[in-house]
PDB file of all heavy atoms in Angstrom:
ATOM      1  N   ASN B 524       2.486  42.793 -12.217  1.00 98.00           N
ATOM      2  CA  ASN B 524       2.726  42.540 -10.797  1.00 98.00           C
ATOM      3  C   ASN B 524       4.114  41.915 -10.617  1.00 98.00           C
ATOM      4  O   ASN B 524       4.723  42.106  -9.499  1.00 98.00           O
ATOM      5  CB  ASN B 524       1.730  41.512 -10.265  1.00 98.00           C
ATOM      6  CG  ASN B 524       0.426  42.240  -9.794  1.00 98.00           C
ATOM      7  OD1 ASN B 524       0.286  42.642  -8.621  1.00 98.00           O
ATOM      8  ND2 ASN B 524      -0.471  42.477 -10.799  1.00 98.00           N
ATOM      9  N   THR B 525       4.665  41.222 -11.597  1.00 98.00           N
ATOM     10  CA  THR B 525       5.993  40.681 -11.520  1.00 98.00           C
ATOM     11  C   THR B 525       7.000  41.853 -11.462  1.00 98.00           C
ATOM     12  O   THR B 525       7.957  41.829 -10.651  1.00 98.00           O
ATOM     13  CB  THR B 525       6.263  39.699 -12.629  1.00 98.00           C
ATOM     14  OG1 THR B 525       5.296  38.680 -12.586  1.00 98.00           O
ATOM     15  CG2 THR B 525       7.660  39.133 -12.541  1.00 98.00           C
ATOM     16  N   THR B 526       6.773  42.792 -12.343  1.00 98.00           N
ATOM     17  CA  THR B 526       7.706  43.945 -12.359  1.00 98.00           C
ATOM     18  C   THR B 526       7.553  44.716 -11.030  1.00 98.00           C
ATOM     19  O   THR B 526       8.590  45.191 -10.502  1.00 98.00           O
ATOM     20  CB  THR B 526       7.514  44.880 -13.557  1.00 98.00           C
ATOM     21  OG1 THR B 526       6.162  45.506 -13.416  1.00 98.00           O
ATOM     22  CG2 THR B 526       7.579  44.159 -14.889  1.00 98.00           C
ATOM     23  N   ARG B 527       6.402  44.850 -10.494  1.00 98.00           N
ATOM     24  CA  ARG B 527       6.219  45.524  -9.193  1.00 98.00           C
ATOM     25  C   ARG B 527       6.940  44.774  -8.134  1.00 98.00           C
ATOM     26  O   ARG B 527       7.565  45.415  -7.212  1.00 98.00           O
ATOM     27  CB  ARG B 527       4.701  45.606  -8.879  1.00 98.00           C
ATOM     28  CG  ARG B 527       4.378  46.457  -7.647  1.00 98.00           C
ATOM     29  CD  ARG B 527       4.731  47.944  -7.784  1.00 98.00           C
ATOM     30  NE  ARG B 527       4.355  48.754  -6.671  1.00 98.00           N
ATOM     31  CZ  ARG B 527       4.450  50.078  -6.601  1.00 98.00           C
ATOM     32  NH1 ARG B 527       4.900  50.727  -7.660  1.00 98.00           N
ATOM     33  NH2 ARG B 527       4.088  50.755  -5.522  1.00 98.00           N
ATOM     34  N   MET B 528       6.730  43.450  -8.104  1.00 98.00           N
ATOM     35  CA  MET B 528       7.435  42.667  -7.090  1.00 98.00           C
ATOM     36  C   MET B 528       8.994  42.818  -7.130  1.00 98.00           C
ATOM     37  O   MET B 528       9.645  42.941  -6.162  1.00 98.00           O
ATOM     38  CB  MET B 528       7.061  41.236  -7.122  1.00 98.00           C
ATOM     39  CG  MET B 528       5.654  40.982  -6.627  1.00 98.00           C
ATOM     40  SD  MET B 528       5.056  39.339  -7.184  1.00 98.00           S
ATOM     41  CE  MET B 528       6.220  38.246  -6.446  1.00 98.00           C
ATOM     42  N   PHE B 529       9.467  42.977  -8.351  1.00 98.00           N
ATOM     43  CA  PHE B 529      10.939  43.197  -8.523  1.00 98.00           C
ATOM     44  C   PHE B 529      11.253  44.530  -7.860  1.00 98.00           C
ATOM     45  O   PHE B 529      12.164  44.627  -7.098  1.00 98.00           O
ATOM     46  CB  PHE B 529      11.290  43.255  -9.996  1.00 98.00           C
ATOM     47  CG  PHE B 529      12.747  43.410 -10.319  1.00 98.00           C
ATOM     48  CD1 PHE B 529      13.562  42.333 -10.399  1.00 98.00           C
ATOM     49  CD2 PHE B 529      13.367  44.689 -10.305  1.00 98.00           C
ATOM     50  CE1 PHE B 529      14.996  42.424 -10.615  1.00 98.00           C
ATOM     51  CE2 PHE B 529      14.730  44.850 -10.470  1.00 98.00           C
ATOM     52  CZ  PHE B 529      15.545  43.684 -10.680  1.00 98.00           C
ATOM     53  N   ASN B 530      10.468  45.533  -8.161  1.00 98.00           N
ATOM     54  CA  ASN B 530      10.723  46.879  -7.646  1.00 98.00           C
ATOM     55  C   ASN B 530      10.550  46.951  -6.096  1.00 98.00           C
ATOM     56  O   ASN B 530      11.372  47.575  -5.454  1.00 98.00           O
ATOM     57  CB  ASN B 530       9.841  47.916  -8.339  1.00 98.00           C
ATOM     58  CG  ASN B 530      10.268  48.122  -9.757  1.00 98.00           C
ATOM     59  OD1 ASN B 530      11.367  47.752 -10.205  1.00 98.00           O
ATOM     60  ND2 ASN B 530       9.370  48.729 -10.602  1.00 98.00           N
ATOM     61  N   VAL B 531       9.499  46.271  -5.652  1.00 98.00           N
ATOM     62  CA  VAL B 531       9.257  46.302  -4.191  1.00 98.00           C
ATOM     63  C   VAL B 531      10.500  45.629  -3.469  1.00 98.00           C
ATOM     64  O   VAL B 531      11.002  46.112  -2.489  1.00 98.00           O
ATOM     65  CB  VAL B 531       7.990  45.452  -3.857  1.00 98.00           C
ATOM     66  CG1 VAL B 531       7.883  45.106  -2.374  1.00 98.00           C
ATOM     67  CG2 VAL B 531       6.814  46.297  -4.277  1.00 98.00           C
ATOM     68  N   ARG B 532      11.012  44.547  -4.082  1.00 97.00           N
ATOM     69  CA  ARG B 532      12.221  43.875  -3.525  1.00 97.00           C
ATOM     70  C   ARG B 532      13.424  44.833  -3.456  1.00 97.00           C
ATOM     71  O   ARG B 532      14.314  44.707  -2.665  1.00 97.00           O
ATOM     72  CB  ARG B 532      12.518  42.637  -4.421  1.00 97.00           C
ATOM     73  CG  ARG B 532      13.263  41.554  -3.703  1.00 97.00           C
ATOM     74  CD  ARG B 532      13.305  40.280  -4.582  1.00 97.00           C
ATOM     75  NE  ARG B 532      14.005  40.513  -5.806  1.00 97.00           N
ATOM     76  CZ  ARG B 532      14.194  39.474  -6.679  1.00 97.00           C
ATOM     77  NH1 ARG B 532      13.769  38.221  -6.443  1.00 97.00           N
ATOM     78  NH2 ARG B 532      14.861  39.760  -7.819  1.00 97.00           N
ATOM     79  N   GLU B 533      13.363  45.795  -4.344  1.00 97.00           N
ATOM     80  CA  GLU B 533      14.466  46.816  -4.394  1.00 97.00           C
ATOM     81  C   GLU B 533      14.131  48.003  -3.535  1.00 97.00           C
ATOM     82  O   GLU B 533      14.952  48.998  -3.514  1.00 97.00           O
ATOM     83  CB  GLU B 533      14.681  47.253  -5.847  1.00 97.00           C
ATOM     84  CG  GLU B 533      15.208  46.148  -6.815  1.00 97.00           C
ATOM     85  CD  GLU B 533      16.595  45.591  -6.483  1.00 97.00           C
ATOM     86  OE1 GLU B 533      17.381  46.332  -5.786  1.00 97.00           O
ATOM     87  OE2 GLU B 533      16.871  44.431  -6.835  1.00 97.00           O
ATOM     88  N   GLY B 534      13.025  47.926  -2.834  1.00 96.00           N
ATOM     89  CA  GLY B 534      12.679  48.973  -1.828  1.00 96.00           C
ATOM     90  C   GLY B 534      11.638  50.011  -2.287  1.00 96.00           C
ATOM     91  O   GLY B 534      11.342  50.907  -1.558  1.00 96.00           O
ATOM     92  N   ILE B 535      11.056  49.778  -3.464  1.00 97.00           N
ATOM     93  CA  ILE B 535      10.009  50.693  -3.943  1.00 97.00           C
ATOM     94  C   ILE B 535       8.672  50.414  -3.197  1.00 97.00           C
ATOM     95  O   ILE B 535       8.287  49.358  -3.052  1.00 97.00           O
ATOM     96  CB  ILE B 535       9.775  50.457  -5.463  1.00 97.00           C
ATOM     97  CG1 ILE B 535      11.070  50.870  -6.224  1.00 97.00           C
ATOM     98  CG2 ILE B 535       8.563  51.241  -5.955  1.00 97.00           C
ATOM     99  CD1 ILE B 535      11.447  52.293  -6.247  1.00 97.00           C
ATOM    100  N   THR B 536       8.101  51.533  -2.789  1.00 97.00           N
ATOM    101  CA  THR B 536       6.756  51.497  -2.195  1.00 97.00           C
ATOM    102  C   THR B 536       5.923  52.691  -2.689  1.00 97.00           C
ATOM    103  O   THR B 536       6.322  53.389  -3.577  1.00 97.00           O
ATOM    104  CB  THR B 536       6.796  51.568  -0.606  1.00 97.00           C
ATOM    105  OG1 THR B 536       7.184  52.977  -0.273  1.00 97.00           O
ATOM    106  CG2 THR B 536       7.764  50.581   0.013  1.00 97.00           C
ATOM    107  N   ALA B 537       4.766  52.852  -2.113  1.00 97.00           N
ATOM    108  CA  ALA B 537       3.913  54.051  -2.449  1.00 97.00           C
ATOM    109  C   ALA B 537       4.609  55.297  -2.366  1.00 97.00           C
ATOM    110  O   ALA B 537       4.343  56.294  -3.106  1.00 97.00           O
ATOM    111  CB  ALA B 537       2.650  53.974  -1.581  1.00 97.00           C
TER     112      ALA B 537
END
Side-chain angles (χ1 to χ4, degrees):
Chain B
N524 277 268
T525 303
T526 64
R527 184 67 175 188
M528 283 163 63
F529 184 93
N530 289 344
V531 165
R532 204 169 63 176
E533 298 293 337
I535 295 294
T536 68

